[in-house]
Amino acid sequence: MRDFDQMGIVVDWVDACRKGDLATLLDLYADDAQVECSCNGTQRYRGRRELETYWGPRLSTFSSAGFGLEEINPVPHGIDLEYSIAGALRIHASFRFSPEGKIYRTLCAPARQTPYDGCAC
């Protein structure tokens, strides 16, 4: 059993995204964390510098367009989250954690979209 609150870490992640707070967001990740995004072809980012390159422009979009928490659920090896951008665009993200309580891996992909939505994760 883990001695940290995985759900709380993801809620902090959501709050950092809503505020456009890149430094706080990056501090939630382990130093060797990986983000794998398959919204526009599969791309992988590893380590703080690459995660900063990935998240920097997205946070600006999230905070200006509106970032909404749609669903958050514990799963056997972490937390699954569905969020929306601008009230409609939905993204599914899965979070896995290091033993130290940092996000070790995030996988994101488009969630079910309406015919007029796209993906901007």
Side-chain angles (χ1 to χ4, degrees):
M1 182 172 197
R2 302 204 184 263
D3 59 350
F4 58 90
D5 181 8
Q6 294 180 10
M7 188 77 70
I9 293 167
V10 174
V11 169
D12 290 345
W13 184 93
V14 168
D15 289 342
C17 287
R18 283 184 174 148
K19 294 174 185 172
D21 187 345
L22 182 60
T24 297
L25 183 76
L26 293 174
D27 286 345
L28 295 171
Y29 282 92
D31 291 339
D32 59 345
Q34 177 177 310
V35 170
E36 183 176 322
C37 179
S38 59
C39 291
N40 296 313
T42 301
Q43 299 175 319
R44 289 180 185 87
Y45 304 85
R46 183 179 298 275
R48 188 174 180 101
R49 185 177 308 266
E50 289 184 16
L51 268 60
E52 184 174 0
T53 299
Y54 174 79
W55 282 118
R58 284 163 181 80
L59 288 184
S60 176
T61 300
F62 290 175
S63 60
S64 65
F67 182 95
L69 172 62
E70 301 298 329
E71 292 184 36
I72 186 169
N73 298 299
V75 293
H77 300 289
I79 301 292
D80 281 356
L81 168 72
E82 191 164 306
Y83 61 91
S84 62
I85 307 298
L89 178 62
R90 291 175 80 110
I91 311 300
H92 176 86
S94 295
F95 296 86
R96 304 301 178 255
F97 299 89
S98 71
E100 298 78 30
K102 295 284 190 170
I103 300 169
Y104 181 73
R105 188 164 190 206
T106 303
L107 304 165
C108 72
R112 179 181 281 212
Q113 308 291 320
T114 64
Y116 302 103
D117 294 338
C119 183
C121 70

